[in-house]
Amino acid sequence: MAKADAEARAGTPATAPEGRGRNSREHGVGASNATARTEHSFPQRQGLMEAVVERENMTAALKRVRANKGAAGVDGMAVDALLPLLRQHWPRIKEELLRGRYAPGPVRGVEIPKPGGGVRQLGIPTVLDRLIQQALHQVLSPLFDPGFSESSHGFRPGRNAHQAVLQARAYAAEGRRWVVDMDLEKFFDRVNHDVLMARVARQVADKRVLGLIRRYLQAGMMLGGLMSVRAEGTPQGGPLSPLLSNILLDDLDKELERRGHAFCRYADDCNIYVRTRRTGERVMVSITRFLADRLKLRVNVAKSAVDRPWNRKFLGYSMTRHIRPRLKVAPQTVARLKGSIREAFRKGRGRSLANTINTLTPKLRGWVNYFKLAEVKGVFEELDEWLRRKLRCLLWRQWKRSFARARNLMRRGLSEKRAWRSATNGRGPWWNAGASHMNAAFPKKYFDACGLVSLLDQLRRLQGAT
């Protein structure tokens, strides 16, 4: 379903305007000295489209889009070119928005591999459309977010995946030892536009805003040089898409709350915690029917299940079967990390050890920071050992000949006899990488000095700081 590693994720949109820049006029949309708004002040003071194009709101949107950077859309325009464009054309663009005549450009289709196999379709809007979507998001989010469920954690201000994981563990600790793990089939590709727009219209009366959102939903997609018209779906990649997904799935949240269920939802990843398998199976059937009838969404039967929480993963985590469960990294997540590291090693063959370590550092730091809630630490130690063995294997391959291997082992303190015996043992690189002579020549402290991130040490530091 969704994830993580928002595993991801063009960037996550802002959910509220940031402060003005040092000189807002240099951004081409000006600034104002308007007083601070309350969460619901936009519709009370003026029309929503006027609030969208307001100078302060557009300045905040521009600041966010420039900070997020991101890839170019179909027009090839980079983020740095947005400011000159606005200086020249903003009056015309603003007038088109206020008259309800602005026509978004098509999005650039990008396919990225999904962790569980297959590909995920992204739609990258032009930088101008990203700016307008961000401005829309900043106005619409305060209208919708206060009414969202407390159990909805994805793409919301002040909420994150860690809160969802901790809530899931708390449900299991309360005795809800079965989980209804629901996977929505191609959610972002299957969103029904009419169903979604009906829910947006509950809070939005401005027909110009409603028309603009629908045109964004229906904007064509350019993929492989071919343009396709979209009759359903809200492609991931634009600032508005996460908010729209929450607006649509809020009906699911309200239905679960009405029935008194304990659940956690992060974007389209929803887990419902119950006390018995029979209850879980009944909930699975009824909620599948609700999603199909009310929201026109389908549950992926192959990926959904009623099972024990420790047999499933949620946002990359799993948990132990103790009465008070302990969080751990899910086995599938560990396998995925190893796969991405193997790919980095394949691409980096022939590079120096230092270069390889520098390439791995951001990935490892980000990974351990996300999984800092893990209470089962053995997997971190095992991954550290596996990483060091991969690096020793890289060194062994680079040395190639027995003479070079013996010479380098002697440089690292091994006796001549042991170095030559090891260099000529006839074993393969992986075996030698785990053998005592390579461990003695390149211990943990060697890799620490090279700057390799120790996942276990980093985890202890993070948990010690909290």
Side-chain angles (χ1 to χ4, degrees):
M1 302 222 3
K3 79 134 153 133
D5 22 279
E7 41 57 11
R9 297 171 172 147
T12 302
T15 51
E18 293 190 3
R20 293 194 297 270
R22 288 172 297 182
N23 185 354
S24 298
R25 293 189 181 275
E26 72 181 15
H27 294 311
V29 292
S32 72
N33 294 321
T35 57
R37 304 176 179 84
T38 62
E39 284 187 328
H40 298 278
S41 61
F42 279 128
Q44 293 170 354
R45 290 200 300 117
Q46 55 191 343
L48 278 183
M49 188 57 81
E50 280 75 13
V52 170
V53 301
E54 188 186 46
R55 292 175 177 178
E56 186 177 2
N57 187 57
M58 292 303 302
T59 300
L62 178 60
K63 181 178 180 181
R64 174 62 65 175
V65 170
R66 295 176 74 183
N68 284 345
K69 301 185 186 298
V74 294
D75 59 359
M77 180 182 290
V79 173
D80 292 340
L82 181 56
L83 183 54
L85 174 74
L86 292 173
R87 284 173 173 159
Q88 184 175 359
H89 297 290
W90 174 243
R92 174 185 58 80
I93 296 167
K94 178 180 177 181
E95 185 66 17
E96 289 178 356
L97 288 167
L98 288 173
R99 291 181 177 272
R101 296 176 181 174
Y102 179 80
V107 298
R108 181 168 66 88
V110 177
E111 293 181 341
I112 61 173
K114 295 174 68 173
V119 295
R120 175 177 286 115
Q121 182 78 62
L122 298 183
I124 309 301
T126 64
V127 290
L128 176 59
D129 283 326
R130 290 211 294 274
L131 173 70
I132 297 171
Q133 285 194 33
Q134 180 62 39
L136 275 169
H137 187 285
Q138 291 168 180
V139 170
L140 295 178
S141 182
L143 295 179
F144 288 94
D145 191 83
F148 287 158
S149 169
E150 288 296 311
S151 296
S152 169
H153 299 276
F155 309 117
R156 297 182 59 193
R159 293 176 180 270
N160 55 50
H162 286 167
Q163 294 169 333
V165 170
L166 291 173
Q167 187 179 39
R169 182 185 64 177
Y171 287 146
E174 290 172 1
R176 303 175 191 274
R177 312 280 283 178
W178 291 89
V179 61
V180 182
D181 186 355
M182 306 195 76
D183 184 283
L184 298 181
E185 188 174 293
K186 296 183 178 180
F187 169 73
F188 286 95
D189 298 331
R190 297 278 173 82
V191 169
N192 183 286
H193 292 173
D194 291 335
V195 172
L196 172 57
M197 290 307 303
R199 277 136 187 86
V200 175
R202 291 172 181 172
Q203 296 282 354
V204 176
D206 192 323
K207 292 183 179 179
R208 298 166 299 176
V209 172
L210 293 172
L212 180 59
I213 293 173
R214 185 177 281 275
R215 289 194 292 275
Y216 272 122
L217 291 173
Q218 295 175 340
M221 178 175 290
M222 182 74 74
L223 182 62
L226 300 176
M227 177 76 75
S228 61
V229 178
R230 289 189 289 119
E232 62 179 3
T234 169
Q236 301 175 77
L240 202 53
S241 181
L243 175 62
L244 295 178
S245 69
N246 275 335
I247 291 172
L248 180 64
L249 290 176
D250 188 56
D251 273 26
L252 170 62
D253 298 342
K254 296 299 190 289
E255 180 65 15
L256 292 172
E257 289 177 342
R258 187 186 68 79
R259 299 184 186 190
H261 288 309
F263 70 98
C264 304
R265 185 176 66 80
Y266 191 97
D268 60 328
D269 200 344
C270 183
N271 278 6
I272 307 165
Y273 293 85
V274 296
R275 298 183 185 276
T276 67
R277 175 186 284 276
R278 180 175 295 182
T279 301
E281 290 171 347
R282 186 172 64 248
V283 169
M284 176 70 83
V285 172
S286 62
I287 295 300
T288 298
R289 187 185 306 118
F290 171 85
L291 288 167
D293 294 345
R294 186 76 66 86
L295 302 181
K296 310 302 180 187
L297 296 172
R298 290 194 298 213
V299 172
N300 188 327
V301 178
K303 294 184 178 180
S304 302
V306 177
D307 205 343
R308 297 291 196 178
W310 47 86
N311 293 331
R312 309 294 293 182
K313 71 178 178 71
F314 180 52
L315 302 177
Y317 282 87
S318 186
M319 62 182 77
T320 65
R321 62 181 68 203
H322 297 95
I323 294 176
R324 296 193 61 82
R326 299 164 62 201
L327 293 175
K328 65 178 184 178
V329 183
Q332 304 96 312
T333 306
V334 176
R336 192 183 312 152
L337 176 66
K338 286 186 173 182
S340 67
I341 289 174
R342 287 191 186 98
E343 182 64 23
F345 273 102
R346 278 193 292 271
K347 291 180 179 178
R349 285 178 181 171
R351 295 190 301 186
S352 67
L353 186 71
N355 196 314
T356 301
I357 289 174
N358 289 337
T359 301
L360 293 174
T361 294
K363 179 188 293 289
L364 296 176
R365 287 194 185 280
W367 193 88
V368 73
N369 189 63
Y370 179 76
F371 289 103
K372 64 184 179 182
L373 298 181
E375 298 161 286
V376 178
K377 299 181 175 62
V379 66
F380 292 83
E381 185 175 5
E382 292 169 6
L383 281 169
D384 278 341
E385 293 172 355
W386 180 81
L387 271 167
R388 291 193 291 268
R389 186 169 179 178
K390 289 288 291 183
L391 292 170
R392 294 185 190 108
C393 184
L394 178 66
L395 289 172
W396 191 265
R397 288 181 183 277
Q398 289 177 347
W399 294 339
K400 294 182 179 179
R401 297 183 179 181
S402 298
F403 176 79
R405 290 168 177 168
R407 181 185 59 197
N408 281 291
L409 288 174
M410 285 187 282
R411 284 177 177 173
R412 292 296 306 160
L414 269 64
S415 67
E416 182 177 0
K417 180 179 179 181
R418 187 182 182 189
W420 275 105
R421 185 172 67 248
S422 301
T424 57
N425 61 29
R427 302 277 191 166
W430 185 247
W431 185 93
N432 277 284
S436 61
H437 54 271
M438 284 296 283
N439 277 273
F442 298 94
K444 178 181 180 298
K445 63 181 180 181
Y446 172 83
F447 293 106
D448 289 342
C450 291
L452 177 67
V453 174
S454 168
L455 298 175
L456 182 59
D457 292 348
Q458 185 73 5
L459 177 68
R460 286 170 174 164
R461 280 193 290 270
L462 289 170
Q463 293 183 343
T466 57

